[in-house]
Amino acid sequence: MSRQLLTGNAAAAWGARLARADYIPAFPITPQTEIIETLSAWCDTGEMAARLVTLESEHAMLTAAAAAAATGVRVFTATSSQGLLYAMEMIYTVAGWRAPFVLVNVSRGLASPITLEPDHTDVLAARDAGFLQIHCATCQEVVDSVLMAYRLAEDARVRLPAIVNLDGYYLSFTREPVELPAPEVADRFLPPFEPHELAFRASQPLSQAVVVLGGSTYSYFRYESHLAAQAALAVYDEIAADYAALTGRRHDVVETWRLEDAEYAFVMMGSFATKAKAAVERLREAGVAIGLLRLRLLRPFPAAAIRRALAGKRAVAVIDQNLSMGRGGVLHGELAAALYGQPDAPPILASFIGGLGGRDLPSEEFYAIAEVLREAARSGVTPPQRLLYTEHELRELRKLQAIALAERHDPRLGGRGP
Amino acid sequence: MYRIRLHGRGGQGIKTAGRMLGSAFFLSGWEVQDATVYGAERRGAPVYAYVRADHGPIHERGVIRDPDLVAVVDESLVGIPSAGVLQGLAGRGLLFILSTTPAALWQQRLNLPDRVLTLAPPAGAPPIGTLCVGAAARLTGVIDEAALVAAIRQELAGMPAAVVERNLDWARRAYAELAPHAGRVVEGGSGTAVGYAAPDWVDLPLEPAETAAPAIHAALTSLRVPTGLWRTLRPVIDYDRCNRCWWVCSEYCPDGAITVAADGTPRIDYEHCKGCLICVAQCPPHAISAIPETEATNP
Amino acid sequence: MNETAFKRLKDLPSQRLLGTGTPLCAGCGGLEALHQIYDILGGRSVFVNAAGCMTLLAVYPFTPFRGAWLYTAMAGAPAGAQGVRDALDLLLAKGRLPPAEDLTVVALTGDGVAYGMGLSATSSAIERGLDFLYIVYDNEGYGNTGQQYSEATPLGAKTATSLRGFAGRKKDLFAIWTAHRPAYAATVIGAEPLDLARKLEKALSLKGPRLLLALAPCPTGWDFDPKDTVEVGRLAVRTGVWPLKEYVDGKVTHTRLPHPRLPVEDYLRTQGRFRHLFEPVRDEALLARIQAQVDDYWAGVT
């Protein structure tokens, strides 16, 4: 086992290769395309015994993916942003088929306005679909998570599809040292897919994904998927232990960083959480007892682990790299629901929105957030939600606006004047 | 509050009937809620409408579980449990059926003493929702004929004049016929939050995906669905005239409900035949005829 | 057509393989064609279905199929067929599936999908050379929602969204398919079971994308008595409104040449959806346009 420099996209492709995926329905979209290009090349050279088929849309891609999984092969597919949304009807639909496969989503902000750089609003749109969701912070985690996602999704107690999420640019196009598990290690960790009775065969009649009439029947099937997703929490712990035993790398449902003795905490998801780690180090040097909680699993939601990790903290800042219009940060809402009414819940749960469309989170902002937390803890007053956005940024935006609005404002061109 | 259900089949004007009755109440000064409930929207499939009418705003919604009146357009539905005609009639409530069978016989058959009324459809009238509207309006005793007529005109606006007049005639006849029973249907109460029957809530167990996915691990289970109950007319083969040219009737039957014996004799599967009568129309020697289901005796 | 197993009507299968008890309307012309197809195709098949009337063939826990069925969503049946076919091929190639366990992959959709929402998926599946049979039951409207006009609705037809008669023209799906140079494409109708059987026989002898486009007389949507389904279908053929034809090896052949070709009126009069062409006053201009469309078509048939 040797370490090598890989982009997040390459790590995702390696995950599919080490999982010995049979079938890869594909459709290109930035910043995911490198994944399918890499896999396509391996299929061509025979390094991977898989078939890659480019469909005409992500909707068709997801349909083909789930249909193949429902026929009993191991399926890998990948998309991003608008592609995920285009597939959204099938994201919800196929989760109910109980046909497991892995979808890598390379996060990218959603239109409008359209952009290429990341935030998590895309993958959060799939939050309630029935897909499990694992969020990565490093390229190493990407390959590890793809393998773990297959074990989790295919487990007989779960049988739900899974999304492995990595951030566009900050992981997808960024190289980091990655240790790839040896193929025999991957094989030992992940046995071949066993579809049991849910696969099409000439000798066994089987109608799948059948329509139901009536709310009672419907409620049963929907809730069973929910129960299976919840059961995935305990199954995940077993899998994480197995993976750690084989590779020495342990990835728990949540990652904590200097949190145990902390009075304050950042809560984040995705690759920017490593920036929070760096900030925690500097803040600790400055005497601030702060730590980090990063969610790796979003679905199933690790509520108990979150409660344990944040019990007794004086104030917590949830930094959401997403935006639910008219509500704010999605994670903030999820955290509040998990903590409300719990003994030892932090009295202050502050909400910050940052990193939309790839907007950077400089370390000074983490330091300032820590200051806001300390002030809130002193006063007992939860601060209002804040968008991480500076005077300087607004001035720069005004320059762009001035150009965009030039004719409207120029009296010589019939405008109203400034 | 009045709580009334109207039962029939797709194609018998149940939706319109529900609206006619709703409007008749409304035009009489009542607060009203009416709706139609269909499963798969299919001609011949059971369908029902419900109407609530009260003196003030109505907060109840959805299925009427405790009806004051159930009016049935298609008597063949009474014996079909899945049609739900008798649902909630155990304790109180009146059952009205368009039927030539005497009410006394229905009362005995259904064990609903004094709570079944019937009306034989007038000559020339099909089993149609409008008849039930006229009957229901009279049975409540709170809708006068002018409101009934206005409601029907309103709901049939845009239909040819002849259709409107025909429906008005049917509704008036039913209204007149039921005059001796005016006011038989009385408003029901609203139950109580004291001493109610508690729901037997259960914690769903997590079950294996093979069981808990909406998948059917079997063949031909649709045979358990008795679509023969949709039928109002029954095709009957006169085997003396039958040519055994099964490739006509059996091939054309959309449902595959005409099976073929080894000697080529076609047999109609009455448990599933929906009564489309394509076989009657296509049989070369005219060996298949249609008889009313009510006159049929099961083989 | 030579060497067919279906020389006479007597040669058609006498066993009904598709189960009874489905919730489709009495007299459904689509179901009529489907059972004729299933009687020949049999249960070693997987039907990949898209939203439409026939989604209700299998309503939990009831299925009329002996073999397999997968409901997808509205747009994606050909993509679902792709996934199933590819998975079966992979399993066969890797020795994980005995050849005896293989299945014929069938996409089953109505005209709303075939002519509209699913056309992109269809075009791409044909382009990829997917080995599948695509069965369309074309009842010329969104039947499952109460017959609104679709891209398959013919000129003049009254639907729930064209109360004065549809002003557009029925899209030529057969031509769209043949422009892709598929392995096979044919129009069929349940009223002509022998023609249907021969075409299915030919389709099943070929590999690649294959279409059976069935006109599906619809008592509910077209407003006629259910007993007339076969008669309406027969008139569609005899008036030339529904040409029976097939495409194979780059060539289109008509399998029925209506002689004499009856006036389209004979067909239109059977259906309530065209009643406004005749009463209260005859719409001579529109009747002439509809007749001219049919005449133009047949003028091009040599």
Side-chain angles (χ1 to χ4, degrees):
Chain A
M1 288 197 280
S2 62
R3 297 172 85 225
Q4 54 186 294
L5 287 173
L6 290 177
T7 61
N9 279 344
W14 268 105
R17 175 166 164 174
L18 289 167
R20 300 193 189 281
D22 296 299
Y23 187 50
I24 306 158
F27 193 81
I29 181 169
T30 304
Q32 166 277 128
T33 310
E34 185 190 359
I35 299 175
I36 60 166
E37 285 177 349
T38 305
L39 292 171
S40 175
W42 287 338
C43 291
D44 285 350
T45 58
E47 287 166 282
M48 234 184 125
R51 178 173 302 168
L52 182 142
V53 176
T54 302
L55 278 294
E56 80 286 352
S57 74
E58 289 87 354
H59 188 282
M61 179 182 89
L62 256 291
T63 309
T71 311
V73 298
R74 183 170 283 158
V75 179
F76 176 86
T77 188
T79 190
S80 174
S81 188
Q82 306 300 123
L84 186 70
L85 288 203
Y86 197 79
M88 196 55 76
E89 182 193 20
M90 298 317 295
I91 294 281
Y92 274 75
T93 300
V94 304
W97 297 5
R98 308 298 298 272
F101 63 98
V102 172
L103 163 68
V104 163
N105 184 66
V106 183
S107 263
R108 165 182 152 189
L110 294 173
S112 284
I114 191 150
T115 185
L116 292 175
E117 293 185 70
D119 65 43
H120 300 148
T121 307
D122 62 349
V123 70
L124 289 173
R127 183 188 61 171
D128 304 331
F131 270 69
L132 311 172
Q133 281 198 18
I134 302 177
H135 288 253
C136 303
T138 65
C139 297
Q140 179 67 61
E141 249 188 272
V142 172
V143 63
D144 295 342
S145 296
V146 169
L147 288 168
M148 294 174 77
Y150 275 110
R151 263 281 294 272
L152 188 62
E154 293 173 4
D155 190 283
R157 293 162 286 181
V158 180
R159 285 217 42 138
L160 287 169
I163 289 173
V164 173
N165 196 69
L166 60 137
D167 293 328
Y169 293 77
Y170 294 95
L171 289 183
S172 73
F173 299 157
T174 302
R175 293 205 308 166
E176 292 177 345
V178 174
E179 187 171 298
L180 292 176
E184 54 277 13
V185 171
D187 289 347
R188 212 174 318 147
F189 173 71
L190 181 65
F193 174 38
E194 172 48 65
H196 300 289
E197 300 293 304
L198 284 172
F200 295 120
R201 303 288 180 264
S203 62
Q204 60 187 43
L206 175 63
S207 298
Q208 292 201 65
V210 174
V211 63
V212 299
L213 297 179
S216 294
T217 316
Y218 179 80
S219 301
Y220 168 81
F221 288 118
R222 298 292 289 181
Y223 207 78
E224 281 295 326
S225 287
H226 166 64
L227 291 175
Q230 285 197 317
L233 267 180
V235 175
Y236 181 90
D237 287 342
E238 295 172 23
I239 290 171
D242 280 1
Y243 197 77
L246 283 166
T247 66
R249 289 187 296 280
R250 182 165 183 111
H251 303 292
D252 285 316
V253 293
V254 297
E255 182 193 20
T256 56
W257 184 262
R258 303 196 71 166
L259 194 58
E260 195 135 330
D261 64 342
E263 295 177 47
Y264 306 98
F266 299 121
V267 177
M268 293 185 73
M269 202 164 66
S271 65
F272 274 9
T274 62
K275 296 167 76 99
K277 278 188 192 176
V280 165
E281 293 305 303
R282 302 292 84 73
L283 284 161
R284 286 279 183 165
E285 288 161 14
V288 182
I290 195 163
L292 165 72
L293 173 69
R294 176 173 70 91
L295 274 62
R296 248 178 64 75
L297 250 62
L298 181 73
R299 286 293 179 269
F301 191 67
I306 291 168
R307 284 178 201 136
R308 263 196 312 276
L310 296 180
K313 306 302 172 207
R314 295 185 67 194
V316 171
V318 183
I319 305 175
D320 268 290
Q321 205 177 345
N322 64 75
L323 182 58
S324 168
M325 311 292 183
R327 164 60 183 81
V330 172
L331 282 188
H332 180 258
E334 297 245 326
L335 265 285
L339 296 170
Y340 183 82
Q342 297 296 320
D344 278 345
I348 303 289
L349 189 70
S351 173
F352 297 85
I353 309 287
L356 298 183
R359 188 265 192 196
D360 196 14
L361 294 185
S363 43
E364 292 75 12
E365 293 196 318
F366 289 100
Y367 309 153
I369 290 169
E371 185 56 42
V372 171
L373 288 185
R374 282 185 291 170
E375 173 53 33
R378 271 193 295 273
S379 68
V381 178
T382 299
Q385 179 184 86
R386 168 167 288 291
L387 173 71
L388 302 179
Y389 204 79
T390 62
E391 290 269 4
H392 172 74
E393 283 176 286
L394 187 57
R395 273 198 305 276
E396 293 300 310
L397 177 86
R398 291 290 182 233
K399 290 179 192 167
L400 303 180
Q401 264 179 333
I403 299 166
L405 303 176
E407 295 204 358
R408 262 177 68 187
H409 289 171
D410 188 340
R412 289 169 302 175
L413 298 167
R416 295 183 270 108
Chain B
M1 188 191 309
Y2 285 108
R3 299 174 180 85
I4 299 173
R5 288 204 314 258
L6 303 170
H7 289 262
R9 295 177 183 276
Q12 292 178 332
I14 297 301
K15 179 178 179 180
T16 309
R19 292 182 166 198
M20 287 172 177
L21 187 58
S23 289
F25 271 114
F26 192 59
L27 293 172
S28 305
W30 293 72
E31 289 297 303
V32 168
Q33 183 191 77
D34 66 53
T36 314
V37 180
Y38 2 10
E41 191 179 347
R42 294 290 176 269
R43 188 186 283 195
V47 57
Y48 68 92
Y50 59 81
V51 181
R52 288 186 172 92
D54 206 350
H55 309 274
I58 298 169
H59 301 300
E60 287 185 9
R61 280 202 187 285
V63 180
I64 289 176
R65 295 176 188 275
D66 183 21
D68 309 308
L69 170 66
V70 173
V72 185
V73 176
D74 192 312
E75 60 180 317
S76 70
L77 291 173
V78 177
I80 304 175
S82 60
V85 171
L86 300 175
Q87 198 193 25
L89 276 178
R92 45 179 296 279
L94 197 69
L95 178 63
F96 169 82
I97 312 174
L98 281 183
S99 174
T100 50
T101 306
L105 208 56
W106 281 109
Q107 293 180 3
Q108 189 188 349
R109 208 185 277 169
L110 302 171
N111 193 24
L112 292 173
D114 299 328
R115 289 204 278 133
V116 186
L117 292 173
T118 59
L119 174 69
I128 184 93
T130 317
L131 286 164
C132 283
V133 176
R138 179 65 99 178
L139 288 171
T140 64
V142 297
I143 296 170
D144 63 27
E145 191 170 327
L148 174 66
V149 168
I152 292 172
R153 286 197 187 282
Q154 184 178 310
E155 296 306 326
L156 295 180
M159 301 293 279
V163 173
V164 177
E165 290 309 317
R166 205 157 59 216
N167 277 276
L168 283 173
D169 178 49
W170 292 332
R172 282 196 186 103
R173 282 191 196 213
Y175 192 81
E177 293 270 355
L178 272 298
H181 303 284
R184 274 290 298 278
V185 174
V186 291
E187 295 181 64
S190 292
T192 168
V194 178
Y196 64 94
D200 50 347
W201 283 332
V202 65
D203 292 324
L204 276 186
L206 170 65
E207 293 177 343
E210 286 81 358
T211 314
I216 306 167
H217 300 264
L220 301 177
T221 48
S222 64
L223 268 58
R224 294 166 187 251
V225 183
T227 47
L229 297 171
W230 297 15
R231 209 169 48 230
T232 52
L233 290 172
R234 166 181 295 215
V236 178
I237 301 176
D238 175 355
Y239 286 105
D240 294 336
R241 289 167 74 182
C242 170
N243 284 347
R244 272 64 180 173
C245 51
W246 54 265
W247 50 87
V248 179
C249 57
S250 176
E251 198 66 21
Y252 287 142
C253 172
D255 288 277
I258 304 183
T259 57
V260 184
D263 67 349
T265 304
R267 300 234 178 258
I268 298 173
D269 166 8
Y270 290 117
E271 203 186 332
H272 297 105
C273 161
K274 294 170 184 163
C276 70
L277 307 182
I278 288 175
C279 55
V280 174
Q282 294 298 323
C283 176
H286 304 291
I288 312 178
S289 52
I291 63 168
E293 197 56 37
T294 45
E295 291 170 22
T297 49
N298 274 309
Chain C
M1 172 95 40
N2 44 22
E3 296 312 311
T4 174
F6 304 109
K7 294 189 179 65
R8 302 161 302 171
L9 285 161
K10 266 183 210 200
D11 299 327
L12 293 170
S14 62
Q15 297 307 304
R16 304 290 154 247
L17 299 185
L18 190 69
T20 51
T22 63
L24 273 70
C25 298
C28 173
L31 187 59
E32 180 175 71
L34 182 70
H35 97 69
Q36 293 170 1
I37 291 167
Y38 203 73
D39 289 341
I40 294 169
L41 180 63
R44 305 177 67 81
S45 53
V46 48
F47 276 69
V48 183
N49 172 248
C53 290
M54 291 213 185
T55 298
L56 293 170
L57 280 174
V59 179
Y60 192 88
F62 305 115
T63 179
F65 291 96
R66 286 164 194 265
W69 162 271
L70 175 66
Y71 170 68
T72 55
M74 189 145 178
Q82 181 85 42
V84 173
R85 183 67 264 162
D86 285 343
L88 290 169
D89 286 344
L90 281 159
L91 291 168
L92 289 166
K94 295 186 176 187
R96 282 150 59 189
L97 188 74
E101 292 282 20
D102 195 15
L103 297 159
T104 301
V105 178
V106 182
L108 173 69
T109 82
D111 52 281
V113 170
Y115 287 72
M117 198 195 274
L119 192 50
S120 169
T122 305
S123 171
S124 306
I126 307 172
E127 185 276 329
R128 290 187 298 265
L130 176 64
D131 182 26
F132 79 132
L133 177 67
Y134 191 153
I135 300 168
V136 183
Y137 53 98
D138 177 0
N139 73 336
E140 306 193 318
Y142 296 112
N144 205 34
T145 47
Q147 197 72 4
Q148 298 76 26
Y149 69 78
S150 76
E151 294 171 53
T153 301
L155 176 63
K158 176 183 167 183
T159 70
T161 45
S162 60
L163 296 175
R164 297 171 180 201
F166 185 61
R169 183 173 180 159
K170 187 179 175 78
K171 192 188 269 186
D172 188 349
L173 185 64
F174 182 83
I176 292 170
W177 263 76
T178 57
H180 289 73
R181 309 188 68 76
Y184 186 75
T187 57
V188 297
I189 192 162
E192 297 283 355
L194 197 58
D195 180 73
L196 181 150
R198 288 173 181 166
K199 287 170 174 169
L200 176 60
E201 182 186 35
K202 180 165 278 185
L204 292 176
S205 74
L206 299 167
K207 273 198 168 299
R210 291 153 289 159
L211 169 72
L212 285 188
L213 174 55
L215 185 70
C218 174
T220 311
W222 297 6
D223 189 12
F224 62 81
D225 191 300
K227 74 172 170 33
D228 295 328
T229 293
V230 171
E231 191 53 30
V232 169
R234 202 174 277 142
L235 283 168
V237 175
R238 294 183 62 193
T239 57
V241 165
W242 188 247
L244 292 175
K245 54 189 170 180
E246 64 181 353
Y247 167 97
V248 64
D249 294 334
K251 206 165 134 258
V252 175
T253 310
H254 283 76
T255 54
R256 286 273 191 290
L257 294 172
H259 275 308
R261 184 152 53 81
L262 302 177
V264 289
E265 269 193 62
D266 291 6
Y267 169 69
L268 303 176
R269 278 184 179 284
T270 59
Q271 302 156 55
R273 63 175 175 158
F274 294 116
R275 191 172 297 130
H276 60 284
L277 299 180
F278 301 99
E279 52 186 67
V281 286
R282 278 177 65 90
D283 189 337
E284 297 291 357
L286 192 49
L287 284 167
R289 270 180 70 203
I290 296 171
Q291 183 66 61
Q293 282 185 0
V294 175
D295 292 345
D296 283 353
Y297 175 86
W298 288 100
V301 175
T302 47

